[in-house]
mmCIF file of all heavy atoms in Angstrom:
data_model
loop_
_atom_site.group_PDB
_atom_site.id
_atom_site.type_symbol
_atom_site.label_atom_id
_atom_site.label_comp_id
_atom_site.label_asym_id
_atom_site.label_seq_id
_atom_site.Cartn_x
_atom_site.Cartn_y
_atom_site.Cartn_z
ATOM 1 N N PHE W 1 4.837 -11.107 17.900
ATOM 2 C CA PHE W 1 5.739 -12.068 17.172
ATOM 3 C C PHE W 1 7.161 -11.923 17.634
ATOM 4 O O PHE W 1 7.698 -10.850 17.830
ATOM 5 C CB PHE W 1 5.651 -11.767 15.682
ATOM 6 C CG PHE W 1 4.378 -12.218 15.066
ATOM 7 C CD1 PHE W 1 3.477 -11.265 14.715
ATOM 8 C CD2 PHE W 1 4.075 -13.617 14.784
ATOM 9 C CE1 PHE W 1 2.203 -11.617 14.139
ATOM 10 C CE2 PHE W 1 2.827 -13.918 14.172
ATOM 11 C CZ PHE W 1 1.899 -12.988 13.880
ATOM 12 N N ASP W 2 7.750 -13.109 17.906
ATOM 13 C CA ASP W 2 9.145 -13.193 18.294
ATOM 14 C C ASP W 2 10.132 -12.973 17.071
ATOM 15 O O ASP W 2 11.219 -12.426 17.159
ATOM 16 C CB ASP W 2 9.487 -14.535 18.947
ATOM 17 C CG ASP W 2 8.791 -14.864 20.159
ATOM 18 O OD1 ASP W 2 8.557 -13.987 20.986
ATOM 19 O OD2 ASP W 2 8.241 -15.995 20.220
ATOM 20 N N GLU W 3 9.674 -13.394 15.934
ATOM 21 C CA GLU W 3 10.504 -13.369 14.747
ATOM 22 C C GLU W 3 9.621 -12.849 13.558
ATOM 23 O O GLU W 3 8.419 -13.149 13.557
ATOM 24 C CB GLU W 3 11.046 -14.720 14.353
ATOM 25 C CG GLU W 3 11.890 -15.342 15.381
ATOM 26 C CD GLU W 3 12.609 -16.684 15.055
ATOM 27 O OE1 GLU W 3 12.829 -16.828 13.818
ATOM 28 O OE2 GLU W 3 12.787 -17.548 15.784
ATOM 29 N N TYR W 4 10.306 -12.245 12.621
ATOM 30 C CA TYR W 4 9.543 -11.731 11.452
ATOM 31 C C TYR W 4 10.548 -11.588 10.275
ATOM 32 O O TYR W 4 11.594 -11.113 10.357
ATOM 33 C CB TYR W 4 8.967 -10.350 11.708
ATOM 34 C CG TYR W 4 8.246 -9.761 10.432
ATOM 35 C CD1 TYR W 4 7.232 -10.326 9.806
ATOM 36 C CD2 TYR W 4 8.785 -8.559 9.788
ATOM 37 C CE1 TYR W 4 6.587 -9.884 8.745
ATOM 38 C CE2 TYR W 4 8.192 -8.034 8.687
ATOM 39 C CZ TYR W 4 7.028 -8.723 8.125
ATOM 40 O OH TYR W 4 6.444 -8.243 7.052
ATOM 41 N N PHE W 5 9.952 -12.096 9.077
ATOM 42 C CA PHE W 5 10.642 -11.900 7.850
ATOM 43 C C PHE W 5 9.542 -11.631 6.799
ATOM 44 O O PHE W 5 8.733 -12.382 6.612
ATOM 45 C CB PHE W 5 11.391 -13.108 7.442
ATOM 46 C CG PHE W 5 12.121 -13.002 6.105
ATOM 47 C CD1 PHE W 5 13.381 -12.576 6.060
ATOM 48 C CD2 PHE W 5 11.505 -13.433 4.926
ATOM 49 C CE1 PHE W 5 14.059 -12.496 4.707
ATOM 50 C CE2 PHE W 5 12.116 -13.265 3.644
ATOM 51 C CZ PHE W 5 13.372 -12.801 3.606
ATOM 52 N N GLY W 6 9.563 -10.474 6.066
ATOM 53 C CA GLY W 6 8.557 -10.207 5.150
ATOM 54 C C GLY W 6 8.612 -8.715 4.754
ATOM 55 O O GLY W 6 9.592 -7.981 4.918
ATOM 56 N N PHE W 7 7.400 -8.134 4.324
ATOM 57 C CA PHE W 7 7.256 -6.737 4.059
ATOM 58 C C PHE W 7 5.945 -6.280 4.680
ATOM 59 O O PHE W 7 5.022 -7.028 4.950
ATOM 60 C CB PHE W 7 7.235 -6.623 2.500
ATOM 61 C CG PHE W 7 6.125 -7.177 1.747
ATOM 62 C CD1 PHE W 7 4.965 -6.531 1.477
ATOM 63 C CD2 PHE W 7 6.175 -8.553 1.367
ATOM 64 C CE1 PHE W 7 3.894 -7.075 0.816
ATOM 65 C CE2 PHE W 7 5.185 -9.108 0.644
ATOM 66 C CZ PHE W 7 3.976 -8.437 0.414
ATOM 67 N N LEU W 8 5.961 -4.967 4.936
ATOM 68 C CA LEU W 8 4.882 -4.403 5.694
ATOM 69 C C LEU W 8 3.698 -3.949 4.871
ATOM 70 O O LEU W 8 2.632 -3.735 5.476
ATOM 71 C CB LEU W 8 5.405 -3.094 6.484
ATOM 72 C CG LEU W 8 6.551 -3.481 7.467
ATOM 73 C CD1 LEU W 8 7.050 -2.140 8.208
ATOM 74 C CD2 LEU W 8 6.243 -4.438 8.480
ATOM 75 N N GLY W 9 3.817 -3.786 3.598
ATOM 76 C CA GLY W 9 2.813 -3.120 2.673
ATOM 77 C C GLY W 9 1.853 -4.198 2.170
ATOM 78 O O GLY W 9 1.737 -5.290 2.684
ATOM 79 N N GLY W 10 1.095 -3.738 1.195
ATOM 80 C CA GLY W 10 0.037 -4.542 0.597
ATOM 81 C C GLY W 10 0.543 -5.364 -0.637
ATOM 82 O O GLY W 10 -0.144 -6.327 -1.021
ATOM 83 N N ALA W 11 1.603 -4.992 -1.170
ATOM 84 C CA ALA W 11 2.173 -5.715 -2.423
ATOM 85 C C ALA W 11 3.668 -5.469 -2.528
ATOM 86 O O ALA W 11 4.228 -4.666 -1.957
ATOM 87 C CB ALA W 11 1.484 -5.149 -3.675
ATOM 88 N N HIS W 12 4.325 -6.411 -3.214
ATOM 89 C CA HIS W 12 5.733 -6.452 -3.329
ATOM 90 C C HIS W 12 6.234 -7.115 -4.565
ATOM 91 O O HIS W 12 5.608 -8.208 -4.869
ATOM 92 C CB HIS W 12 6.409 -6.937 -2.091
ATOM 93 C CG HIS W 12 7.859 -6.478 -1.939
ATOM 94 N ND1 HIS W 12 8.951 -7.055 -2.772
ATOM 95 C CD2 HIS W 12 8.491 -5.588 -1.156
ATOM 96 C CE1 HIS W 12 9.954 -6.535 -2.433
ATOM 97 N NE2 HIS W 12 9.815 -5.574 -1.440
ATOM 98 N N PRO W 13 7.199 -6.653 -5.269
ATOM 99 C CA PRO W 13 7.767 -7.401 -6.406
ATOM 100 C C PRO W 13 8.234 -8.771 -5.936
ATOM 101 O O PRO W 13 8.706 -8.972 -4.855
ATOM 102 C CB PRO W 13 8.856 -6.554 -6.969
ATOM 103 C CG PRO W 13 8.590 -5.242 -6.419
ATOM 104 C CD PRO W 13 7.929 -5.386 -5.196
ATOM 105 N N TYR W 14 8.171 -9.793 -6.838
ATOM 106 C CA TYR W 14 8.626 -11.170 -6.556
ATOM 107 C C TYR W 14 10.032 -11.308 -6.993
ATOM 108 O O TYR W 14 10.690 -12.179 -6.577
ATOM 109 C CB TYR W 14 7.687 -12.177 -7.272
ATOM 110 C CG TYR W 14 6.322 -12.197 -6.798
ATOM 111 C CD1 TYR W 14 5.403 -11.357 -7.330
ATOM 112 C CD2 TYR W 14 5.906 -13.142 -5.832
ATOM 113 C CE1 TYR W 14 4.051 -11.296 -6.919
ATOM 114 C CE2 TYR W 14 4.601 -13.193 -5.378
ATOM 115 C CZ TYR W 14 3.698 -12.294 -5.958
ATOM 116 O OH TYR W 14 2.374 -12.346 -5.557
ATOM 117 N N LEU W 15 10.483 -10.570 -7.929
ATOM 118 C CA LEU W 15 11.800 -10.654 -8.471
ATOM 119 C C LEU W 15 12.873 -9.725 -8.180
ATOM 120 O O LEU W 15 13.911 -9.643 -8.695
ATOM 121 C CB LEU W 15 11.698 -10.769 -10.059
ATOM 122 C CG LEU W 15 10.759 -11.859 -10.654
ATOM 123 C CD1 LEU W 15 10.530 -11.737 -12.085
ATOM 124 C CD2 LEU W 15 11.349 -13.212 -10.311
ATOM 125 N N LEU W 16 12.562 -8.764 -7.225
ATOM 126 C CA LEU W 16 13.506 -7.744 -6.766
ATOM 127 C C LEU W 16 13.894 -7.888 -5.379
ATOM 128 O O LEU W 16 13.128 -8.454 -4.536
ATOM 129 C CB LEU W 16 12.906 -6.333 -6.991
ATOM 130 C CG LEU W 16 12.486 -5.961 -8.444
ATOM 131 C CD1 LEU W 16 11.786 -4.582 -8.454
ATOM 132 C CD2 LEU W 16 13.632 -6.024 -9.399
ATOM 133 N N GLY W 17 15.142 -7.434 -5.074
ATOM 134 C CA GLY W 17 15.552 -7.521 -3.699
ATOM 135 C C GLY W 17 15.111 -6.311 -2.937
ATOM 136 O O GLY W 17 14.245 -5.537 -3.311
ATOM 137 N N ALA W 18 15.692 -6.190 -1.698
ATOM 138 C CA ALA W 18 15.302 -5.145 -0.839
ATOM 139 C C ALA W 18 15.890 -3.749 -1.155
ATOM 140 O O ALA W 18 16.922 -3.741 -1.979
ATOM 141 C CB ALA W 18 15.695 -5.433 0.651
ATOM 142 N N GLY W 19 15.399 -2.731 -0.775
ATOM 143 C CA GLY W 19 15.812 -1.408 -1.059
ATOM 144 C C GLY W 19 15.497 -0.488 0.163
ATOM 145 O O GLY W 19 14.924 -0.943 1.082
ATOM 146 N N PRO W 20 15.682 0.821 -0.085
ATOM 147 C CA PRO W 20 15.271 1.740 0.988
ATOM 148 C C PRO W 20 13.893 2.080 1.150
ATOM 149 O O PRO W 20 13.499 2.846 2.027
ATOM 150 C CB PRO W 20 16.168 2.958 0.633
ATOM 151 C CG PRO W 20 16.177 2.915 -0.896
ATOM 152 C CD PRO W 20 16.329 1.453 -1.207
ATOM 153 N N ARG W 21 13.008 1.395 0.375
ATOM 154 C CA ARG W 21 11.595 1.728 0.294
ATOM 155 C C ARG W 21 10.941 1.276 1.651
ATOM 156 O O ARG W 21 11.482 0.338 2.312
ATOM 157 C CB ARG W 21 10.877 1.042 -0.785
ATOM 158 C CG ARG W 21 11.529 1.260 -2.219
ATOM 159 C CD ARG W 21 10.702 0.515 -3.272
ATOM 160 N NE ARG W 21 10.319 -0.879 -2.898
ATOM 161 C CZ ARG W 21 11.239 -1.854 -3.206
ATOM 162 N NH1 ARG W 21 12.364 -1.571 -3.721
ATOM 163 N NH2 ARG W 21 10.899 -3.098 -2.862
ATOM 164 N N PRO W 22 9.748 1.904 1.942
ATOM 165 C CA PRO W 22 9.114 1.476 3.137
ATOM 166 C C PRO W 22 8.609 0.076 3.153
ATOM 167 O O PRO W 22 8.382 -0.620 4.145
ATOM 168 C CB PRO W 22 7.893 2.495 3.208
ATOM 169 C CG PRO W 22 8.324 3.686 2.502
ATOM 170 C CD PRO W 22 9.130 3.135 1.349
ATOM 171 N N ASP W 23 8.412 -0.453 1.926
ATOM 172 C CA ASP W 23 7.977 -1.848 1.779
ATOM 173 C C ASP W 23 9.164 -2.772 1.542
ATOM 174 O O ASP W 23 8.924 -3.947 0.838
ATOM 175 C CB ASP W 23 6.973 -2.007 0.633
ATOM 176 C CG ASP W 23 7.527 -1.632 -0.750
ATOM 177 O OD1 ASP W 23 8.610 -0.962 -0.828
ATOM 178 O OD2 ASP W 23 6.839 -2.026 -1.724
ATOM 179 N N ALA W 24 10.370 -2.406 1.998
ATOM 180 C CA ALA W 24 11.518 -3.347 1.706
ATOM 181 C C ALA W 24 11.197 -4.646 2.445
ATOM 182 O O ALA W 24 10.606 -4.757 3.460
ATOM 183 C CB ALA W 24 12.711 -2.733 2.261
ATOM 184 N N ILE W 25 11.963 -5.712 1.952
ATOM 185 C CA ILE W 25 11.924 -6.916 2.666
ATOM 186 C C ILE W 25 12.733 -6.818 3.939
ATOM 187 O O ILE W 25 13.836 -6.316 3.960
ATOM 188 C CB ILE W 25 12.512 -8.037 1.782
ATOM 189 C CG1 ILE W 25 11.741 -8.270 0.538
ATOM 190 C CG2 ILE W 25 12.566 -9.457 2.611
ATOM 191 C CD1 ILE W 25 10.294 -8.637 0.758
ATOM 192 N N LEU W 26 12.147 -7.184 5.142
ATOM 193 C CA LEU W 26 12.713 -6.982 6.422
ATOM 194 C C LEU W 26 12.953 -8.370 7.047
ATOM 195 O O LEU W 26 12.225 -9.227 6.946
ATOM 196 C CB LEU W 26 11.772 -6.260 7.308
ATOM 197 C CG LEU W 26 11.260 -4.853 6.850
ATOM 198 C CD1 LEU W 26 10.352 -4.171 7.806
ATOM 199 C CD2 LEU W 26 12.503 -3.923 6.654
ATOM 200 N N ARG W 27 14.110 -8.457 7.744
ATOM 201 C CA ARG W 27 14.354 -9.499 8.785
ATOM 202 C C ARG W 27 14.333 -8.801 10.123
ATOM 203 O O ARG W 27 15.193 -8.028 10.426
ATOM 204 C CB ARG W 27 15.631 -10.141 8.478
ATOM 205 C CG ARG W 27 15.929 -11.378 9.387
ATOM 206 C CD ARG W 27 17.144 -12.124 9.139
ATOM 207 N NE ARG W 27 17.244 -12.692 7.791
ATOM 208 C CZ ARG W 27 16.572 -13.722 7.381
ATOM 209 N NH1 ARG W 27 15.827 -14.472 8.209
ATOM 210 N NH2 ARG W 27 16.642 -14.231 6.164
ATOM 211 N N GLY W 28 13.301 -9.134 10.932
ATOM 212 C CA GLY W 28 13.119 -8.328 12.129
ATOM 213 C C GLY W 28 12.657 -6.857 11.633
ATOM 214 O O GLY W 28 11.737 -6.787 10.803
ATOM 215 N N ALA W 29 13.363 -5.898 12.136
ATOM 216 C CA ALA W 29 13.073 -4.522 11.671
ATOM 217 C C ALA W 29 14.061 -3.973 10.742
ATOM 218 O O ALA W 29 13.990 -2.783 10.385
ATOM 219 C CB ALA W 29 12.991 -3.698 13.042
ATOM 220 N N GLU W 30 15.024 -4.738 10.315
ATOM 221 C CA GLU W 30 16.000 -4.331 9.440
ATOM 222 C C GLU W 30 15.934 -4.866 7.996
ATOM 223 O O GLU W 30 15.451 -6.007 7.714
ATOM 224 C CB GLU W 30 17.464 -4.722 9.986
ATOM 225 C CG GLU W 30 17.740 -4.248 11.343
ATOM 226 C CD GLU W 30 17.740 -2.718 11.428
ATOM 227 O OE1 GLU W 30 18.295 -2.165 10.401
ATOM 228 O OE2 GLU W 30 17.338 -2.231 12.440
ATOM 229 N N PRO W 31 16.312 -4.015 6.919
ATOM 230 C CA PRO W 31 16.163 -4.402 5.545
ATOM 231 C C PRO W 31 17.072 -5.674 5.356
ATOM 232 O O PRO W 31 18.106 -5.700 5.885
ATOM 233 C CB PRO W 31 16.716 -3.202 4.814
ATOM 234 C CG PRO W 31 16.402 -2.091 5.643
ATOM 235 C CD PRO W 31 16.675 -2.576 7.075
#
């Protein structure tokens, strides 16, 4: 993939922002 926005895990809250967790929302490789 040239571009990525999302999370790496199996589930994620719908109403919370990113954090330092491994399943943080990422743009590319950055939270």
Side-chain angles (χ1 to χ4, degrees):
F1 289 102
D2 299 318
E3 300 183 31
Y4 176 63
F5 180 90
F7 63 94
L8 301 180
H12 198 283
Y14 295 83
L15 297 173
L16 298 177
R21 306 182 313 274
D23 64 343
I25 300 297
L26 303 176
R27 184 178 300 282
E30 299 299 323

